[in-house]
Amino acid sequence: MEHRDEMEAPKSVFTTRKIVVAGVLSAIAVFLGLTGWGFVPVPTAAGNATILQIPAIIGGVVEGPLVGAVIGLIFGVSSFLHATVPFFKDPLVAILPRIFIGVFGYYAYVMVKRLFSKSKTGGLLLAIGVAGFIGSATNTILVLAMIYLRGYLSLQACASIALINGVPEAVVSIIITVAVVSAWWRLDRGRKGSRI
Amino acid sequence: MENSLNWSSQVVIGKYIPAESFVHRMDPRAKLSLFILFLAIVSFTRTILPEVVWLVALFSLLYIGKIPIRYFFSGLRPALPLLFLFMLLQLFFLPVPGASRDWLVWGWVKIGPETIVLIISGALRFIVIFLLIQLLTASTSLTDLAHAFEQLLSPLAKLRLPVHEVAIIMVIAVRFVPTFAAEADKIRRAQAARGADIGTARAWQVIKRTKSVFPILLPLFILAINRAEDLVMAMEARGFVPGERRTRYITFAWRKRDTLGAVIGAIFAALMGIWQFYQ
Amino acid sequence: MRQNNEVILTMERVSFRYSPGTPFERLALIDIALRVMRGERVAVVGQTGSGKSTLAGLCNGILKPSDGNVTVFGMDTRGDAKIQKQLRAKVGHVMQNPEDQLFEQYVGDDVAFGPLKLGLTLDEARERARSAMAAVGLDFTEKDTPIYTLSRGRKRLVAIAGILAMEPELLILDEPTSGLDPLTAKSLLDSLSAMCEEKGTTLLLITHQLSEVLQLANRVIVMDHGKISRDGDPEAIFLAAEELPFGLDVPDEVIMAKRLQAAGVRIERKDWNAEGFAATMANSLLNREVKDGKLTKLE
């Protein structure tokens, strides 16, 4: 038994909120990865676009880079453990790059938000969209860079996959990230009022 | 909580197969450390022979651990078609830097003996890592793994790294996967009843196709957000303080044979590492 | 109240297993036989886990029977995609906590989602949404309200309107009032009742509350451990049961009616309310006298 000898706990970098949001969004990433749900049927080299990077991006935008990084880490570990695609059974490909998804997504969000600090909702939506794009691009580029560096595929092959897969994935990522975060923050996206 | 963790470990990391064996009884901290050490060394193997040795060693452990070999093969089988496809892909898209001679050169496609060695060793490495993961997850429950992870890294908490917090995040994540699976299934059925259909837009209509997953994805995220809000309140109401050192309710007893196992494992890993390095 | 004798739903020797072939396998329904006529209002009651919701899920093809056949509007629910589509159009299923399924930003878009998926034009969908929202007591001007500003109860109404807007011929409601405040619950049931009356919609109501059965149904099915234990007129079943089983809330009206029946006084179901009980009792007292401390009929 250990005693609770540090009653005055050092202030943590995590708040309860950050811990819980990170946990719940990680659960979504793991769940989407375990099932066929983590894909949107748009044409790519793989046949559909992955959306598994999106919880990490959302976590980054909503609760900061640390939360984004942890969600990415858990997503990475899960994808490493369950991979059936050979190069994802390599932790340097499956885990390491994923940590940066939410981090880069967050910084992209902050930078764009600062640029458009005058316009209210519009600038915010743009910033969230850019985060969706950068986060997804981070995933594509870093994973394929590791695949190349670890000698699984040639540079040309990696570059073409990055283009064919990465572009539709980034588009899908922008749309979903904006939709989820604006629902979370209750932002009006575009239209005022219903279609009918 | 404990039960739901053990249940979800089947889905989240792989099936835990209870048995009485040396491998099962080994301290989870020792197992996790050896797993990471083995993984680090295996990841940098580039030749065939050391991988065969790894395979023999790990299969022996599978045998000692009384883990049925058909369990391993049933896990591997679905991965095999992809593995072959991938090996074929590599044949064309993997030029080996500094290859001495090539049998076939066409554009950037260059095939030579070095390519073949790399492809086969890559496939073997995949199987070794697959085996390594199954060995760990079949012999250790997820609860034990989570606590072992936290305890192993707890020295880092002194450097103010948020080890405990990350451990809690992992526990929450694992805890919620079955919840979301059930909820997602409900949402899917409900939306199907309303006529929602995924992927019926023309393939090139990327935006339309993306929006076709909204009826399922958005309620799932909103549900998760609501659950998170509830959980924050519940945890704070019960006096949870992030980063506070908590009383451990699971303690592992480190025995002599754990030391023995860890030392043998470490020596083996070191020898393999040296061999690989000088090959 | 039955409008005609057309059978719209048939179940023959239906069994249902969850997760067959896994350690989690569970037999939820055993050898069910059931026929529902057009225009009937059937309430399904029973304890949690008795198979009520499973029964409901089988009716629109979302769940497929493990054994036996389910035929709805003449279509086998195991049919191909085209049949599934027709089934979805004819059978509306409001699941438990349907407010969790809302995903659009504005109320109107979510209500119109189903009709638009049925291939209706925007104008047609608007009209459907208008009448569906009216049917659950929502004002049509609320179509432009963002959903997140609504309370849970109002979200529930929006979700139900989303199903009603598809104008199903068979409407399945799975515990539509759970978690609603009594007032909202009552007014929801009243408007649903009126709508079914007007359109001749066949109703399948799954509930824990016998008072809802009395308010809405003309037939009750009691589920017990995956089997139908009773099926028939609610009045007859509630009065005949030795003690009402199934751990349900027994409404005061039923208790009252049963006591009167035990005392030898018949009271029709339409009179199962305060006024009815008072009048019946007064009436029956007129024909009795007290003899040796007991009520006896006058000669």
Side-chain angles (χ1 to χ4, degrees), chain C residues 105-119:
Chain C
Q105 193 177 352
Y106 296 108
V107 168
D109 288 334
D110 225 296
V111 177
F113 175 78
L116 289 173
K117 281 287 164 190
L118 289 178

Side-chain angles (χ1 to χ4, degrees), chain A residues 33-68:
Chain A
L34 285 176
T35 59
W37 297 55
F39 304 95
V40 173
V42 302
T44 65
N48 40 34
T50 173
I51 53 170
L52 301 178
Q53 75 283 14
I54 293 177
I57 304 172
I58 294 170
V61 169
V62 174
E63 291 294 340
L66 205 59
V67 168

Side-chain angles (χ1 to χ4, degrees), chain B residues 7 10-11 40 47 53 94 126 135 172 184 188 231 235 250 263:
Chain B
W7 180 84
Q10 304 213 340
V11 234
T47 44
V53 175
L94 185 66
F126 171 73
L135 200 57
I172 293 176
R188 182 184 57 80
L231 191 57
M235 283 170 73
I250 287 195
V263 168

Side-chain angles (χ1 to χ4, degrees), chain C residues 16-164:
Chain C
F16 187 83
R17 275 178 211 91
Y18 280 105
S19 333
T22 72
F24 308 107
E25 177 167 329
R26 194 165 61 79
L27 192 59
L29 289 179
I30 309 158
D31 212 21
I32 298 286
L34 179 67
R35 279 147 71 95
V36 175
M37 311 286 174
R38 186 179 288 278
E40 270 193 305
R41 299 172 179 195
V42 185
V44 182
V45 298
Q47 277 178 311
T48 311
S50 60
K52 303 185 301 273
S53 295
T54 313
L55 192 76
L58 285 167
C59 296
N60 66 346
I62 275 175
L63 302 178
K64 314 271 191 273
S66 309
D67 291 303
N69 294 310
V70 180
T71 314
V72 187
F73 297 107
M75 293 175 280
D76 189 318
T77 58
R78 271 180 293 226
D80 57 16
K82 210 177 131 203
I83 291 198
Q84 296 301 328
K85 208 161 183 182
Q86 288 182 36
L87 274 175
R88 306 276 148 81
K90 290 196 159 200
V91 184
H93 189 169
V94 179
M95 300 201 181
Q96 287 176 38
N97 302 327
E99 61 278 10
D100 287 344
Q101 305 145 15
L102 303 175
F103 66 95
E104 295 275 14
Q105 193 177 352
Y106 296 108
V107 168
D109 288 334
D110 225 296
V111 177
F113 175 78
L116 289 173
K117 281 287 164 190
L118 289 178
L120 300 185
T121 65
L122 210 55
D123 288 325
E124 289 166 330
R126 182 182 302 113
E127 285 320 303
R128 291 281 190 98
R130 191 196 302 275
S131 65
M133 286 170 71
V136 295
L138 287 172
D139 198 276
F140 189 58
T141 53
E142 290 207 55
K143 72 182 167 68
D144 296 324
T145 310
I147 286 172
Y148 58 76
T149 59
L150 302 178
S151 68
R152 196 167 179 83
R154 288 193 91 66
K155 280 186 194 163
R156 172 85 52 95
L157 298 183
V158 172
I160 294 176
I163 302 289
L164 295 184

Side-chain angles (χ1 to χ4, degrees), chain A residues 81-99:
Chain A
L81 290 176
H82 294 102
T84 49
V85 181
F87 38 67
F88 285 114
K89 269 284 184 270
D90 181 336
L92 291 177
V93 176
I95 302 177
L96 190 65
R98 265 65 186 269
I99 298 173

Side-chain angles (χ1 to χ4, degrees), chain A residues 75-196:
Chain A
F75 156 47
V77 170
S78 161
S79 94
F80 165 69
L81 290 176
H82 294 102
T84 49
V85 181
F87 38 67
F88 285 114
K89 269 284 184 270
D90 181 336
L92 291 177
V93 176
I95 302 177
L96 190 65
R98 265 65 186 269
I99 298 173
F100 299 98
I101 298 171
V103 180
F104 291 173
Y106 166 79
Y107 285 112
Y109 164 74
V110 169
M111 267 157 44
V112 176
K113 196 174 85 168
R114 233 172 253 157
L115 276 178
F116 292 88
S117 53
K118 278 179 210 128
S119 86
K120 244 185 145 183
T121 317
L124 214 52
L125 287 174
L126 184 71
I128 299 165
V130 172
F133 177 82
I134 294 291
S136 188
T138 305
N139 185 38
T140 312
I141 294 170
L142 290 189
V143 165
L144 284 161
M146 283 314 289
I147 288 176
Y148 167 68
L149 288 175
R150 298 279 292 144
Y152 294 108
L153 290 174
S154 68
L155 190 59
Q156 290 92 334
C158 287
S160 6
I161 297 176
L163 269 178
I164 301 169
N165 260 19
V167 174
E169 267 171 21
V171 175
V172 170
S173 171
I174 294 171
I175 299 170
I176 295 179
T177 309
V178 170
V180 173
V181 177
S182 61
W184 194 329
W185 285 345
R186 304 179 167 185
L187 306 173
D188 288 325
R189 39 185 154 114
R191 237 170 339 107
K192 287 248 181 269
S194 67
R195 280 166 71 200
I196 63 166

Side-chain angles (χ1 to χ4, degrees), chain A residues 1-28 30-32 34-35 37 39-43 47 51 54-55 58 66-67 70-71 73-74 77-78 80-92 95 147-157 160-161 167-169 171-173 175-176 179-181 183-186 189, chain B residues 10-14 35 39 42-46 75 78-79 82-83 86 89-90 92-95 108 118 122 125-126 129-130 133 137 149 158 160 162 165-166 168-170 172-174 176-177 180-182 184-185 187-188 198-199 203-214 216-218 220-222 224-229 231-232 235-236 239-248 251:
Chain A
M1 272 307 257
E2 298 188 29
H3 358 247
R4 307 173 66 136
D5 48 0
E6 291 168 62
M7 281 314 278
E8 281 179 34
K11 208 167 150 33
S12 172
V13 284
F14 280 96
T15 58
T16 311
R17 207 187 149 69
K18 283 183 200 284
I19 289 176
V20 170
V21 169
V24 168
L25 287 176
S26 300
I28 290 198
V30 173
F31 161 72
L32 292 176
L34 285 176
T35 59
W37 297 55
F39 304 95
V40 173
V42 302
I51 53 170
I54 293 177
I58 294 170
L66 205 59
V67 168
V70 176
I71 299 170
L73 172 74
I74 295 176
V77 170
S78 161
F80 165 69
L81 290 176
H82 294 102
T84 49
V85 181
F87 38 67
F88 285 114
K89 269 284 184 270
D90 181 336
L92 291 177
I95 302 177
I147 288 176
Y148 167 68
L149 288 175
R150 298 279 292 144
Y152 294 108
L153 290 174
S154 68
L155 190 59
Q156 290 92 334
S160 6
I161 297 176
V167 174
E169 267 171 21
V171 175
V172 170
S173 171
I175 299 170
I176 295 179
V180 173
V181 177
W184 194 329
W185 285 345
R186 304 179 167 185
R189 39 185 154 114
Chain B
Q10 304 213 340
V11 234
V12 176
I13 55 162
F35 173 78
L39 191 63
V42 173
S43 295
F44 290 95
T45 321
R46 279 287 177 279
L82 259 175
L83 185 62
F86 178 69
L89 198 73
Q90 278 189 317
F92 295 105
F93 295 109
L94 185 66
W108 74 66
L118 256 186
R125 190 165 60 244
F126 171 73
I129 295 179
F130 197 89
I133 292 171
T137 56
F149 166 83
K158 297 227 166 64
R160 314 210 44 184
E165 289 91 326
V166 173
I168 298 169
I169 291 173
M170 286 182 170
I172 293 176
V174 167
F176 271 96
V177 170
F180 289 151
D185 195 49
I187 294 168
R188 182 184 57 80
I198 289 164
W204 60 85
Q205 295 174 306
V206 173
I207 294 178
K208 222 171 172 179
R209 281 221 163 174
T210 307
K211 285 190 168 168
S212 74
V213 301
F214 275 16
I216 288 170
L217 214 57
L218 290 188
L220 187 63
F221 270 104
I222 292 168
I225 293 162
N226 291 339
R227 286 291 161 89
E229 306 283 356
L231 191 57
V232 172
M235 283 170 73
E236 283 181 344
F240 173 81
V241 178
E244 187 183 60
R245 196 159 164 190
R246 294 168 311 142
T247 314
R248 277 178 200 158
T251 46

